[in-house]
């Protein structure tokens, strides 16, 4: 083991607060897994010397010689819940993250007279330790930072669409178009309600 | 190429976490019982940690290693198997937290996990070194000063006149049995144990001799009888041999009964399988097989006559004798007991002073034991309360009975003190499993008491400390200490008077953990204040926070009480009023041994690096073997 570091020298940094929270969440999950496994052991399951290929948890075996992984088959996956494509909650929380990122330079814009260059890149000036509660969202948030163009606030966009749909509905001639516009209005209203709940 | 599996810290944590989850619900005075069932329909309730852990099906090598450590520790001290797992889990968690916050940045590793693992290993080694050097002094000064000492003379007080000192021993037993067997019978069982110890206390000058004797001979000194309530358990005088008479036992009068122990066959084996006996080939007379058997019978009669001439009326045999021997012994009115177990024979030999013999023609006076009487006991039956001084009469009922042989000795004990009153313990329980549990609890209680009275083991460091202190030479001493203990060198001169005396007990309910936690935190504060170059995490603080997991679990049903108790221990020194409370007592020595065992287990666990899956000829599935590999060379700082 070379000490002079001519190999890939791993530069270690103390974990940030976000990462500490991730560690804490992981530990709670591990405690849950341990408790479940303990219950199974008391029911007569056997603790094997192998680990699950997917998640690395120790495998159990029941009386019928069938292997069983507690975390894969019983608990929800650790990272699936943070994937916006799979979970609506994760998607909404990602929207909120972006909203926070957009809003944080806004108070600094108004007092500053020459805030032009700084307002052009609000995403870059957002400080790193944001209150991210899960690794997936943190990774998603970091990876999907928007380009320098300032996006409109989501509520504004939805309201605009709602107004447009209403005006369109007034002039709609066909039944199909009316039905589609009504459904669009419904979904806009639902989105607004969710955004309002998030912002509270 | 054998399949390798690298172990990470999280695997160790998970394994120990699972074991902790298993025993957690049975821990503490409020803990529940585990119901064991078999496919045959047998069921058993137990709260014993060793029994629960033994019943688990574990193939994981780390888990098996931990369980083995627990079982070995429990064999020595008799107690603390669940506390062991609890402390182990919380220590590992603390080490993991500390390692992930500040891994060793002076080395370069392939990954964060390797860095964490190395730091964890280092912390564990530091903890063990700290415990071996400093912990006994700390306990002697901070913890034992709040306790009291039980002495062997406490047992000389008669049990039916309860003196204050005798209550300490009973309280110690009561809290032990309360945790092990439940609340209902703990007072009765602890009284019975005290009575047993009272009878056997005079067997040697040192308490440890008597306790060791009891512990070693316990299988021969107790008789489990199932089908009765626990309160039917009692002591009987003399030794109970768990075998029925092979010949009818005649009523003996009060003269000393002479007995001999045989290890061989009385009837000599003249013919072995495969031998050919030729009869009828003599020149002078016609001989047949009848003559041969008559001749063998005559020689046997001579043997029995010889025994009768020596006055021997009881024969204990380790092997099964032939039918001819038994018939002749019945004719001669001698009591014969066959197939006596080795434990019982050795106990008999120790108590009576008679050595066993294999050749009946070489009987000397030292082979003959003198007994007061020898009569059968019927156990496993309802008994009538008819108890004159030495006779034990029981009426048999429909329950299956076992006929035992009861023997009482005279005070002819050459090797032992003559005031000893040998007695045997009859342990009753509702079912076989429960009775077995009670028997194990008795044995563990004796082990626990033995550990309490054992003087603390003198490690090399403690001996070195004493010699250095006597020479009053501090300069060379401070050079030899590590960073974490330099600040205590000034305190140690006053400490050499506070050696942990054997027999120290303190109130139960987490008191030991609270006091030690307080002492360790004080030590870590004084260390960080006086020694600024202390790099890394002070291990005393790690140990202090890990210790709190035990009382937290004891008071898990009422967190308010936990905080209350902790505040009380930290602010007011424990006075004697704590002993008046109904808390029960526990042994400081046992707790110290437990801590050391846990720290050693942690060190061993964190040194495991890789698992090699091997195939054996018998098993087609692969079995895992833990391999001990030291990691990269750790250069000195």
């Amino acid at each position: 083991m070379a000490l002079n570091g001519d190999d890939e020298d791993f530069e270690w940094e103390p974990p940030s607060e976000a990462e500490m929270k991730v560690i804490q969440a992981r530990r709670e999950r591990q405690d849950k897994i341990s408790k479940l496994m303990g219950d199974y052991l008391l029911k007569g399951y056997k603790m094997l010397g192998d680990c699950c290929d997917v998640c690395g948890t120790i495998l159990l075996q029941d009386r019928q010689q069938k292997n069983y992984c507690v975390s894969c088959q019983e608990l929800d996956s650790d990272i699936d819940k943070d994937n916006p494509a799979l979970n609506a909650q994760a998607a909404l929380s990602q929207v909120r993250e972006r909203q926070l990122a957009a809003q944080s330079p806004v108070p600094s814009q108004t007092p500053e007279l020459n805030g032009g260059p700084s307002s052009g890149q609000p995403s870059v000036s957002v400080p790193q330790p944001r209150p991210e509660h899960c690794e997936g969202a943190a990774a998603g948030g970091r990876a999907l930072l928007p380009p320098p163009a300032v996006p409109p606030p989501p509520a504004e966009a939805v309201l605009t669409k709602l107004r447009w749909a209403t005006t369109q509905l007034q002039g709609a001639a066909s039944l199909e178009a009316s039905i589609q516009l009504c459904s669009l209005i419904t979904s806009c209203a639902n989105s607004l309600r969710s955004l309002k709940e998030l912002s509270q | 190429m054998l399949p390798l599996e690298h172990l990470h810290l999280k695997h160790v944590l998970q394994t120990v976490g699972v074991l902790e989850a298993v025993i957690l619900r049975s821990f503490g005075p409020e803990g529940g019982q585990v119901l064991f069932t078999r496919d045959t329909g047998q069921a058993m309730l137990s709260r014993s940690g060793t029994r629960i852990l033994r019943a688990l099906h574990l193939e994981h090598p780390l888990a098996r290693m931990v369980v083995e450590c627990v079982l070995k520790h429990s064999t020595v001290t008799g107690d603390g198997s669940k506390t062991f797992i609890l402390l182990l889990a919380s220590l590992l968690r603390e080490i993991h937290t500390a390692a992930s916050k500040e891994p060793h940045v002076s080395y370069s590793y392939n990954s964060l996990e390797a860095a964490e693992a190395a730091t964890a290993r280092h912390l564990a080694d530091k903890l063990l070194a700290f415990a071996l050097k400093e912990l006994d002094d700390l306990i002697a000064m901070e913890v034992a000063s709040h306790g009291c000492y039980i002495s062997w003379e406490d047992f000389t007080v008669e049990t039916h006149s309860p003196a204050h000192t005798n209550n300490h021993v009973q309280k110690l037993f009561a809290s032990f049995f309360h945790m092990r067997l439940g609340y209902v019978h703990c007072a009765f069982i602890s009284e019975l144990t005290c009575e047993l110890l009272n009878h056997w206390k005079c067997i040697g000058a040192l308490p440890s001799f008597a306790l060791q004797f009891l512990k070693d001979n316990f299988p021969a000194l107790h008789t489990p009888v199932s089908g009765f309530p626990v309160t039917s358990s009692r002591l009987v005088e003399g030794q109970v041999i768990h075998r029925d008479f092979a010949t009818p036992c005649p009523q003996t009068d009060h003269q000393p009964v002479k007995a001999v122990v045989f290890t061989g066959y009385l009837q000599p084996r003249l013919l072995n399988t495969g031998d050919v006996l030729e009869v009828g080939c003599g020149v002078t007379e016609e001989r047949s097989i009848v003559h041969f058997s008559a001749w063998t019978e005559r020689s046997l009669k001579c043997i029995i006559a010889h025994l009768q001439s020596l006055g021997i009326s009881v024969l204990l045999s380790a092997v099964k004798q032939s039918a001819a021997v038994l018939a002749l012994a019945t004719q001669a009115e001698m009591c014969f007991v066959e197939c006596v177990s080795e434990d019982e024979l050795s106990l008999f030999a120790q108590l009576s002073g008679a050595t066993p013999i294999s050749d009946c023609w070489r009987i000397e006076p030292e082979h003959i034991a003198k007994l007061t009487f020898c009569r059968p006991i019927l156990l496993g039956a309802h008994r009538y309360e008819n108890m004159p001084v030495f006779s034990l009469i029981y009426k048999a009922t429909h329950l299956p009975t076992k006929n035992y042989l009861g023997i009482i000795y005279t005070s002819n004990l050459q090797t032992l003190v003559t005031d000893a009153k040998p007695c045997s313990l009859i342990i009753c329980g509702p079912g076989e499993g429960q009775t077995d549990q009670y028997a194990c609890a008795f044995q563990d209680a004796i082990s626990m008491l033995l550990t309490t009275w054992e003087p603390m083991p003198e490690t090399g460091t403690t001996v070195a400390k004493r010699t250095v202190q006597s020479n009053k030479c501090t300069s060379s001493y401070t050079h030899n200490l590590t960073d974490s203990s330099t600040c205590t060198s000034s305190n140690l001169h006053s400490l050499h008077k506070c050696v942990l005396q054997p027999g120290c007990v303190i109130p139960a309910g987490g008191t030991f953990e609270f006091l030690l936690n307080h002492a360790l935190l004080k030590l870590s504060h004084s260390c960080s204040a006086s020694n600024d170059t202390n790099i890394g995490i002070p291990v005393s603080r790690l140990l202090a926070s890990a210790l709190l997991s035990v009382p937290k679990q004891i008071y898990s049903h009422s967190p308010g009480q936990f905080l209350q108790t902790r505040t009380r221990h930290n602010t007011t020194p424990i006075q004697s009023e704590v002993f008046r409370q109904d808390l029960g007592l526990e042994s400081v020595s046992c707790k110290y041994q437990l801590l050391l065992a846990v720290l050693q287990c942690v060190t061993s666990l964190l040194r495991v690096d890789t698992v090699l899956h091997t195939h054996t000829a018998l098993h087609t599935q692969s079995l895992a073997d833990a391999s001990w590999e030291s990691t990269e060379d750790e250069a000195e700082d």
Side-chain angles (χ1 to χ4, degrees), chain B residues 74-189:
Chain B
S74 187
T75 317
V76 170
T77 60
D79 194 17
S81 44
K82 290 182 284 221
T83 319
F84 188 108
I85 301 273
L86 209 59
L87 268 176
L88 185 70
S90 71
L91 255 175
L92 281 170
R93 265 185 232 123
E94 293 291 330
I95 289 177
H96 177 60
T97 316
S100 46
K101 275 192 190 145
E102 294 182 37
H104 250 192
V105 293
S106 55
Y107 306 127
S108 58
Y109 293 102
N110 274 338
S111 65
L112 179 62
E113 280 163 346
E116 275 182 8
T119 318
R121 213 173 292 131
H122 183 77
L123 278 173
D125 292 336
K126 263 172 87 173
L127 266 168
L128 185 61
F130 170 77
L132 288 172
K133 279 190 200 155
E134 308 287 328
L135 208 55
D136 54 347
D137 284 334
L138 201 63
I139 290 176
M141 199 167 77
E142 301 281 344
V143 180
S145 50
H146 297 291
C148 73
Y149 290 89
I150 49 174
S151 66
W152 196 231
E153 281 72 35
D154 295 344
F155 284 105
T156 58
V157 181
E158 292 295 321
T159 45
H160 56 259
S161 60
H164 177 66
T165 47
N166 203 12
N167 280 343
H168 283 330
V169 180
Q170 264 200 8
K171 265 182 146 176
L172 181 66
F173 280 137
S175 54
F176 174 82
F177 286 120
H178 183 188
M179 297 284 274
R180 182 66 69 91
L181 302 171
Y183 180 67
V184 182
H185 298 297
C186 63
F188 171 76
I189 299 279

Side-chain angles (χ1 to χ4, degrees), chain A residues 3 30 69 116 146 149 156 192 195:
Chain A
L3 286 175
Q30 289 300 321
C69 174
E156 282 280 328
L192 274 175
L195 286 169

Side-chain angles (χ1 to χ4, degrees), chain A residues 1-2 9-10 12 27 30 33-35 37-39 41-42 44-51 56-58 63, chain B residues 5 11 14-15 17-18 21-22 25 39 56-60 63 96-97 101 103 105 108-109 112 613 632:
Chain A
M1 204 54 224
D9 209 337
F10 176 68
W12 181 83
R27 203 167 290 159
Q30 289 300 321
I33 291 176
S34 299
K35 188 170 179 314
M37 281 180 73
D39 289 343
L41 276 184
L42 282 172
Y45 280 53
K46 193 194 287 188
M47 182 197 256
L48 298 177
D50 303 316
C51 293
T57 319
I58 297 173
R63 302 280 185 92
Chain B
E5 193 188 308
H11 290 116
Q14 192 171 71
T15 316
V18 171
V22 166
R25 276 182 290 186
D39 293 337
L56 298 175
H57 298 289
L58 298 170
E59 261 188 27
H60 197 279
H96 177 60
T97 316
K101 275 192 190 145
V105 293
S108 58
Y109 293 102
L112 179 62
H613 292 265
E632 51 277 337

